Amino acid sequence: MIKGIEIKRANIAEGKLDYLFNKNIKPDPHNTPRAVENAKQMRRIGLQDTPENRALLRQHFEAVVNDSTNIIRGLGAKTIRESFFMGKKGGVKFETVWEGERLITIEPHGGLRGIYKPGGS
Amino acid sequence: MFINIANNYLELKYHSSEEELLLALTSCNLGKVLIESEEAEEFISIQISRRDRFDSRFGIGIYNEEKGIGLEILPIPDKELVILGVNKNILGFELKTLSPSFAFETFTRFAGFYLLDENNLLVRDEIGFIKLDLFGNKKWEFYHDLVQDFQVMDKTLWVTTMENETFKLSLETGLPF
């Protein structure tokens, strides 16, 4: 057992993954087009909405909240973290907003070329 | 598209490229401001002039990422003011002086405006609200979770999140009660 390393358990509501795959989103002038764009990015990297892929994303976000080097912006107890996720057909940069271990929202970034620019938006 | 607000014209144009946008703004002899992004899907120019001085223009160049609600323009004619929201940017523009009056970034993506009264407005971003006066001074902010719905009733803001939590906030202080 390694002492001194605290593993945080991420609190990821299923609704956040629904938002990423544009499932069960109530009509809203902002949330609807945002969820459509999210799902487009997931399709672009070849990630279908399956239980296996949802588990992969959960695993990724668990790692994200346990990395102290990926915080790009903070506001009070809330932080924006940046990470990179590789799907079967390409990669996506995620900007995730957290309050402690609670995931608040996810924003996938990346174009058709799927180029990852650290520090870029 | 021409928008007529008080004594001013706003000419809004969509461009197919950044080059075309920048070229359009070269005719803005009073100056220009760019709301830039590396992930722009759409390029929009807004040229603002007085009705009686069509040759004097200020330009706003917008690199719209088209994620979410997109560009919103809130005209407040009696204050000769226009407020723009796009991406994570809010820009106040004074029509009387043809110059920007304030600018700031929201924490998450801009999601809409709600004019509260003649002096104050709510800026909705993806996970909460900011109350501003029309000079761009922040009165309070409330961030919690993805906003699903909201209602303003009397002096209260009701917020429902995507996780079905409901908050009742004082519009005066932004604090839940």
Side-chain angles (χ1 to χ4, degrees), chain B residues 2 4 17 25 31 38 81-83 91 100 102 107 113 118 135 139 147 164:
Chain B
F2 273 102
N4 192 195
S17 67
L25 293 176
E38 287 175 9
L81 188 70
V82 171
I83 302 175
L91 177 74
F102 67 86
F107 188 57
F113 290 122
E118 55 185 17
F135 300 102
K139 300 283 186 75
V147 174
N164 283 323

Side-chain angles (χ1 to χ4, degrees), chain A:
Chain A
M1 182 183 168
I2 301 170
K3 287 183 180 172
I5 297 175
E6 188 198 342
I7 305 293
K8 295 176 193 165
R9 286 303 310 260
N11 172 2
I12 304 165
E14 204 57 33
K16 307 303 178 194
L17 301 180
D18 285 346
Y19 192 45
L20 211 44
F21 288 110
N22 189 20
K23 290 281 161 65
N24 308 317
I25 302 301
K26 288 184 191 158
D28 174 82
H30 175 76
N31 296 336
T32 303
R34 257 282 270 132
V36 167
E37 175 67 23
N38 286 344
K40 224 189 273 180
Q41 290 277 12
M42 292 302 98
R43 279 198 302 276
R44 179 180 66 78
I45 64 164
L47 209 71
Q48 305 301 317
D49 185 8
T50 63
E52 294 75 24
N53 286 339
R54 284 188 177 231
L56 268 181
L57 285 165
R58 280 184 177 278
Q59 208 175 24
H60 175 77
F61 295 130
E62 288 277 356
V64 167
V65 80
N66 278 289
D67 179 356
S68 59
T69 66
N70 59 13
I71 298 172
I72 56 168
R73 200 175 162 196
L75 182 78
K78 295 179 179 64
T79 51
I80 300 182
R81 294 170 182 264
E82 166 180 271
S83 63
F84 189 71
F85 182 90
M86 204 64 202
K88 283 179 188 164
K89 292 183 182 169
V92 70
K93 184 181 88 171
F94 284 125
E95 274 184 23
T96 43
V97 181
W98 300 82
E99 185 175 51
E101 288 87 57
R102 183 173 68 92
L103 178 61
I104 300 177
T105 186
I106 308 164
E107 194 176 312
H109 291 258
L112 294 171
R113 288 164 296 176
I115 295 169
Y116 172 49
K117 286 190 201 170
S121 58

Side-chain angles (χ1 to χ4, degrees), chain B residues 38-101:
Chain B
E38 287 175 9
E39 288 185 63
E41 296 277 332
E42 190 175 63
F43 301 93
I44 307 165
S45 68
I46 302 177
Q47 297 192 26
I48 308 168
S49 59
R50 302 283 297 175
R51 248 196 296 193
D52 52 353
R53 291 289 312 274
F54 210 59
D55 54 334
S56 298
R57 296 160 165 236
F58 191 95
I60 302 172
I62 296 162
Y63 296 56
N64 184 9
E65 293 174 0
E66 281 204 286
K67 286 181 181 170
I69 201 165
L71 171 66
E72 270 210 354
I73 301 173
L74 176 69
I76 306 168
D78 48 338
K79 303 274 180 188
E80 295 198 60
L81 188 70
V82 171
I83 302 175
L84 307 176
V86 69
N87 305 333
K88 290 182 182 174
N89 302 91
I90 307 297
L91 177 74
F93 192 88
E94 207 176 80
L95 295 168
K96 203 187 283 181
T97 57
L98 290 180
S99 60
S101 53

